[in-house]
Amino acid sequence: MATVFLLFFLSILSFSSASSTNDLPRTFIVKVQHDAKPSIFTLHKHWYDSFLSSLSSSSNKTPSSSSPPAESRIIHTYDTVFHGFSVKLSPTEALKIQALPHVIAVIPERLRHVQTTRSPEFLGLKTTDSAGLLKESDFGSDLVIGVIDTGIWPERQSFNDRDLGPVPAKWKGTCVSGKDFSPASCNRKLIGARFFCNGYEATNGKMNESTEYRSPRDSDGHGTHTASIAAGRYVFPASTLGYAKGIAAGMAPKARLATYKVCWNAGCYDSDILAAFDAAVNDGVDVISLSVGGVVVPYYLDAIAIGSFGAVDRGVFVSASAGNGGPGGLTVTNVAPWVATIGAGTIDRDFPADVKLGNGKVIPGVSVYGGPGLAPGKMYPLIYAGSEGTGDGYSSSLCLEGSLDPKLVKGKIVLCDRGINSRAAKGDVVKKTGGVGMILANGVFDGEGLVADCHVLPATAVGASAGDEIRRYISVASKSNSPPTATIVFKGTRLGVRPAPVVASFSARGPNPVSPEILKPDVIAPGLNILAAWPDKIGPSGVPTDNRRTEFNILSGTSMACPHVSGLAALLKAAHPDWSPAAIKSALMTTAYTVDNRGETMLDESTGNTSTVMDFGAGHVHPQKAIDPGLIYDISTFDYVDFLCNSNYTVNNIQVVTRKTADCSGAKRAGHAGNLNYPSMSAVFQQYGKHKMSTHFIRTVTNVGDPNSVYKVTIKPASGTLVTVQPEKLVFRRVGQKLSFLVRVETTAVKLSPGGSSLKSGSIVWSDGKHTVTSPIVATMQQPL
């Protein structure tokens, strides 16, 4: 146990060393052995307060009363998905707390950040169908989706309760009142609303209530948007500044919503996130949607991994955004295997806004701009902020606040580089400096992926190569007798775009940085230019000077992809009440597709090249097939414990995550982490000079299709690998029957530089002639340094 304590001491000390003053108090989350509470204490909180009292040198006495101290230091207590409390401590105090009996772990808090009229139709969810997922699930009417985000704007029509039945009897949640939010803000659609700010205020001090609501009301817009994607009602007409006109609808239009506000102006704090998980599961949600992330640490130090495990253990499906760190590799977040990790793809709709240069060249771009446009047919002077700005060229190239010279910018279209400040904020800088328009150019890292924003002036976004071309034109024209000119031509909404879907450039990519044996992301879903509900007091650009108001807004991110899957999970749970969270995820993964509407493998938006499993995981969700997947890969809580054992986690580490005492001896340790009964398979080979390498996977599938069905396997190995499956045929006699098979993957070492890696992927497909159950197989070869 001393070794375990040392590991936690080191994590605490390393966390504190990031500060310039090592002994500054910080928030820690304390894991406690719940059932060890002495009977003298009426409440666990009183017991926890006694821990903190013991830190004082003057507190040498054993408590003789169950009464709490006059002023408790505790930020939150947890008793559903986690047992313990959060508190602000100096690192020295944290070490003292860790040494107390019955304290299992002391976890440093981390800061997180937040990461439709067309997407239901694009996903094949049509209300006119006589059968299918919407009809089978009654649109998710008895399911509750908990959205952990920035709150909600309850008055939006997306959250009306017209024609909904009574609140489900199982619901134990409440509607917490606060600034500009009363219990009457809830209804039969929005059945619960809470907010958690103690962790935020413990670090930042009391919030500024002139800019934020101390209540579940949304002052950012992100939470309102994601909630309506998951479960918004049908609203017509819907559009943003005249773009994307149509009927707005969420994935599960009749599902009930509960909002848990944890994200504030300074971000989202782990202690508040964990409190939201605790409350949501206790309230009775069926699905948790979490479009928050940004930190990758071992699971026993990850509040989201810990909270989501407790939720899944109670039968709650957890969907989380993969992150917006793409297109680079190893950027995916929220990677725990019990979480559905969702990347982003495009739909077959875009908003073209092309740049026409003075030399006649037309550069494609995208934009959502609904204000006064540029004069038709008129060409405007064009400058590159990086060469014409004031101060250092870097700041002006990014069009940062105060970096542009009004004398150089006035009356011109300004080319700005992407980065540092928000895309819309750059346009605001240009507008305030006197510019008439903006062209926003991607950097090399962003590639060719384009995001349509609601700009405050005529503006459009172009890819990295287009940005280079425009800069070259400006440079050449500036030296000639024909100064550079341009205009922007807005073309509105375009449907039927091909190819689609395409993996969004920003969507975070694998491999999984924590557990390379688990392929992440799991799937992708619509996440680019998604229309959904928006608060009334926030401009669509999010820029403070934007006084425009709109009921709907168009946003992009894996934050938008995640609630698509949250809503689909609610529909699947409604159609199959007996399915576990793992079963629902399996259905979504094994029925996902990897081809676009041209019939070819999906492309990577950032490069235009073919995408890979590290970009899209199992593929793009196909909800109409997921309702009847044929076979599922189910996973129990004990399977996850074995996975953690085989990942070399200590018994103490595992108890922090699972609240269970693990036995990692014997046969359990004889396996490997890749043997978790996951719907995908990822083999990681360390070459070490070996010529031939092999590994195996054991999988068990459950028949949820037809009785008396026979599934035969089709193997699609990656080049350079040999994949065998035994047996090659699975004969089921009844629904619910489980059968196992073994997959062996063999490969030959390839020439790699030290520290280099090589990725190969294939798949195995089980089919009974009616159902097709597909599992990706990934073989990664790594050359150690």
Side-chain angles (χ1 to χ4, degrees), residues 540-560:
S541 69
V543 173
T545 59
D546 188 357
N547 295 318
R548 297 171 297 178
R549 297 295 178 259
T550 178
E551 185 171 353
F552 296 91
N553 200 5
I554 294 170
L555 298 182
S556 299
T558 56
S559 283
M560 284 64 249

Side-chain angles (χ1 to χ4, degrees), residues 454-470:
C454 294
H455 293 287
V456 296
L457 83 171
T460 189
V462 300
S465 60
D468 290 340
E469 183 173 356
I470 297 171

Side-chain angles (χ1 to χ4, degrees), residues 257-308:
L257 279 167
T259 186
Y260 300 85
K261 182 178 177 180
V262 301
C263 296
W264 307 85
N265 284 351
C268 326
Y269 288 81
D270 273 358
S271 56
D272 293 334
I273 293 172
L274 192 57
F277 268 104
D278 212 55
V281 174
N282 191 57
D283 286 346
V285 302
D286 300 285
V287 172
I288 288 177
S289 187
L290 181 73
S291 293
V292 174
V295 179
V296 177
V297 292
Y299 304 131
Y300 60 87
L301 296 175
D302 185 344
I304 289 177
I306 293 168
S308 58

Side-chain angles (χ1 to χ4, degrees), residues 476-716:
V476 172
S478 297
K479 299 172 185 177
S480 69
N481 294 325
S482 300
T485 59
T487 190
I488 303 172
V489 181
F490 299 94
K491 297 185 175 180
T493 304
R494 181 173 62 176
L495 301 178
V497 173
R498 297 166 66 92
V502 171
V503 180
S505 178
F506 56 76
S507 186
R509 316 300 169 95
N512 185 333
V514 180
S515 301
E517 304 86 356
I518 304 297
L519 180 64
K520 291 285 183 174
D522 290 307
V523 290
I524 64 170
L528 185 74
N529 302 333
I530 304 300
L531 182 139
W534 191 248
D536 191 44
K537 293 187 177 180
I538 305 168
S541 69
V543 173
T545 59
D546 188 357
N547 295 318
R548 297 171 297 178
R549 297 295 178 259
T550 178
E551 185 171 353
F552 296 91
N553 200 5
I554 294 170
L555 298 182
S556 299
T558 56
S559 283
M560 284 64 249
C562 168
H564 278 88
V565 172
S566 306
L568 296 178
L571 296 178
L572 289 171
K573 183 72 173 177
H576 300 284
D578 58 332
W579 278 10
S580 69
I584 293 170
K585 181 162 69 170
S586 174
L588 289 166
M589 290 176 66
T590 62
T591 59
Y593 60 88
T594 60
V595 296
D596 58 29
N597 54 8
R598 306 169 304 166
E600 300 178 17
T601 301
M602 288 187 290
L603 298 181
D604 178 346
E605 187 190 30
S606 68
T607 63
N609 298 327
T610 301
S611 57
T612 73
V613 291
M614 292 301 169
D615 305 325
F616 54 66
H620 192 285
V621 290
H622 194 321
Q624 296 290 39
K625 284 192 174 181
I627 191 174
D628 183 19
L631 304 175
I632 57 171
Y633 295 80
D634 211 353
I635 305 175
S636 71
T637 297
F638 300 103
D639 294 329
Y640 289 126
V641 171
D642 287 351
F643 162 79
L644 293 171
C645 283
N646 291 321
S647 299
N648 295 319
Y649 278 46
T650 67
V651 171
N652 187 278
N653 295 157
I654 295 170
Q655 190 175 6
V656 172
V657 177
T658 68
R659 297 169 299 147
K660 297 174 175 27
T661 302
D663 177 10
C664 291
S665 62
K668 294 178 181 178
R669 268 291 166 93
H672 64 89
N675 269 342
L676 180 67
N677 199 40
Y678 216 69
S680 57
M681 292 163 237
S682 178
V684 181
F685 297 105
Q686 301 289 341
Q687 295 200 152
Y688 291 110
K690 295 179 181 178
H691 181 62
K692 290 187 177 180
M693 300 165 291
S694 68
T695 191
H696 69 276
F697 302 95
I698 298 172
R699 292 291 189 267
T700 300
V701 286
T702 305
N703 180 24
V704 295
D706 303 319
N708 299 312
S709 54
V710 178
Y711 284 81
K712 296 180 180 179
V713 71
T714 299
I715 302 170
K716 300 177 181 179

